[in-house]
Amino acid sequence: MATLHKTVFGTTSRGEVVDLWTLEAGDYVAEILTRGGTLRSFRVPIAEGTRDIVLGSETLQELEAQDKYFGAIVGRVANRIGGASFDLNGQHYPLAANSGANSIHGGVVGFDQVIWKASERDGALVLSYDSPDGDEGFPGNLSVEVMYSLGDDGRLSLDYVAESDADTLCNLTCHAYFNLLGHDAGTLGDQAIQILADAFTACDASSLPTGEVLPVEGPFDLRAPVRFVDGLAQEHPQITLGHGYDHNFVLGHEPYVPGRLAARVTGGGLVLECSTTAPGVQLYTANYLDGTPGKNGAHYPARSAFCLETQAWPDAIHHDNFPSVVLKKGEIYRQRTTYRVFEAK
């Protein structure tokens, strides 16, 4: 069981106090901020000591200034909603167009920017937030709980639970940026990615799904390990449109499959395995980082990290062939994702 302790990290520009919670289990240490439920760091054991493999901000002011969603819980709906609007039960709901003509990651003030309530439960950190009816345009009062738990075997798990008093949309994820060489490595180096998926959802120039579900081929065939640099170097129209990997890989149409291994990344003497109950995982190679200030004086350039955003498929509300993101009144949204990190043998 992990041990937890809390310190004050800072005060936001709106005068809100943000706490930093530290989870320790054996040689593993994770830091989570109550602002955005943000995974700020994840230190894992290596032969020389420990290595922080998660990109993050040094100060609260830098965290507020960046727009890259470093380590944050994003919602109500992660990823994109086309046309910044949707129809549900015969009613039209306009949303903020904060990604070109589309809405992304919950809107202008999504879950990544709010202050979550925090408590301890059996050695885990429980974060909760009540999103009111009409929040960023979404219907229904949505109660959300995210539990971070850490084991001494290197398993960092996130359990998501949500319930609404009216039909709404819900799709939650953690936007953590990983680099197994270290958060400040500045490059993906020889790290290799494997995603256990036979298909992915094609995107247009705005990274919005077209509705096509394509078989993996070329740089998208990651069923066997491929070095990031090799996959990104291949000529493929989807790589060009996304400026790299920024695509949802299809894990299945049926959610809630316990312990399903979605992806594996190796490099720097470490292995990261991502398991999830979600039907998709968005592989993003940090294409839009631009020297953003980070921890300990680091600056994060483009393609200096990878994200494995476990999720429902993007823009699912507009595609009948995608698994639904509608959360019915009184139903329980429940997902689990685990990132396990250990030394390569």
Side-chain angles (χ1 to χ4, degrees):
M1 181 182 296
T3 59
L4 289 81
H5 65 269
K6 178 183 74 171
T7 58
V8 174
F9 186 68
T11 303
T12 70
S13 57
R14 297 193 294 260
E16 303 155 316
V17 175
V18 174
D19 293 327
L20 183 148
W21 285 79
T22 302
L23 283 72
E24 298 187 41
D27 295 323
Y28 293 87
V29 182
E31 292 182 344
I32 297 99
L33 298 172
T34 52
R35 198 261 191 188
T38 298
L39 178 62
R40 180 177 179 267
S41 73
F42 187 23
R43 297 196 296 275
V44 303
I46 58 173
E48 300 80 12
T50 62
R51 180 185 297 158
D52 185 357
I53 62 168
V54 167
L55 280 61
S57 300
E58 179 65 21
T59 67
L60 183 56
Q61 289 68 36
E62 289 180 350
L63 180 64
E64 287 187 286
Q66 59 82 36
D67 60 357
K68 312 304 182 187
Y69 302 94
F70 279 147
I73 302 298
V74 293
R76 291 188 187 190
V77 177
N79 218 305
R80 294 162 178 84
I81 297 177
S85 67
F86 65 94
D87 295 320
L88 182 63
N89 298 334
Q91 187 166 343
H92 185 69
Y93 294 94
L95 306 171
N98 60 333
S99 177
N102 308 314
S103 179
I104 192 171
H105 291 333
V108 176
V109 183
F111 292 175
D112 61 296
Q113 297 183 47
V114 302
I115 308 301
W116 294 66
K117 295 179 181 178
S119 61
E120 182 178 352
R121 181 189 300 163
D122 298 328
L125 175 66
V126 178
L127 301 172
S128 60
Y129 180 68
D130 292 326
S131 175
D133 179 41
D135 189 11
E136 287 294 325
F138 292 97
N141 295 290
L142 183 74
S143 297
V144 182
E145 180 181 284
V146 180
M147 183 171 70
Y148 279 94
S149 56
L150 179 63
D152 60 9
D153 58 355
R155 296 178 193 270
L156 178 65
S157 296
L158 293 91
D159 286 276
Y160 305 89
V161 179
E163 185 175 8
S164 176
D165 64 359
D167 291 0
T168 191
L169 309 188
C170 187
N171 178 26
L172 307 175
T173 195
C174 177
H175 206 302
Y177 290 75
F178 294 99
N179 188 323
L180 299 184
L181 305 179
H183 78 94
D184 54 356
T187 176
L188 289 170
D190 285 338
Q191 292 172 85
I193 175 75
Q194 181 181 17
I195 297 183
L196 304 179
D198 297 325
F200 72 102
T201 50
C203 294
D204 63 17
S206 68
S207 294
L208 185 74
T210 63
E212 295 177 284
V213 180
L214 301 179
V216 293
E217 61 175 13
F220 290 91
D221 189 353
L222 305 177
R223 290 171 293 186
V226 174
R227 293 196 314 161
F228 282 107
V229 292
D230 294 334
L232 290 166
Q234 294 188 50
E235 292 187 7
H236 191 286
Q238 286 289 307
I239 291 288
T240 301
L241 287 172
H243 302 282
Y245 291 112
D246 192 7
H247 295 80
N248 170 66
F249 284 77
V250 173
L251 301 178
H253 285 75
E254 298 298 326
Y256 316 126
V257 178
R260 174 174 49 200
L261 182 63
R264 180 184 290 111
V265 181
T266 58
L270 295 172
V271 179
L272 182 151
E273 292 183 341
C274 174
S275 301
T276 187
T277 58
V281 58
Q282 183 92 1
L283 172 62
Y284 174 53
T285 45
N287 311 314
Y288 296 104
L289 291 185
D290 52 9
T292 310
K295 293 175 292 188
N296 303 318
H299 286 78
Y300 303 136
R303 297 185 178 177
S304 62
F306 63 90
C307 301
L308 295 169
E309 303 163 63
T310 56
Q311 58 174 9
W313 302 2
D315 199 31
I317 190 62
H318 291 131
H319 300 286
D320 292 339
N321 58 323
F322 287 11
S324 176
V325 289
V326 175
L327 178 64
K328 295 287 189 179
K329 175 184 176 179
E331 290 183 351
I332 304 296
Y333 172 97
R334 196 182 304 275
Q335 297 286 1
R336 167 173 255 230
T337 292
T338 297
Y339 300 101
R340 182 188 176 213
V341 182
F342 53 96
E343 287 191 85
K345 302 299 184 182

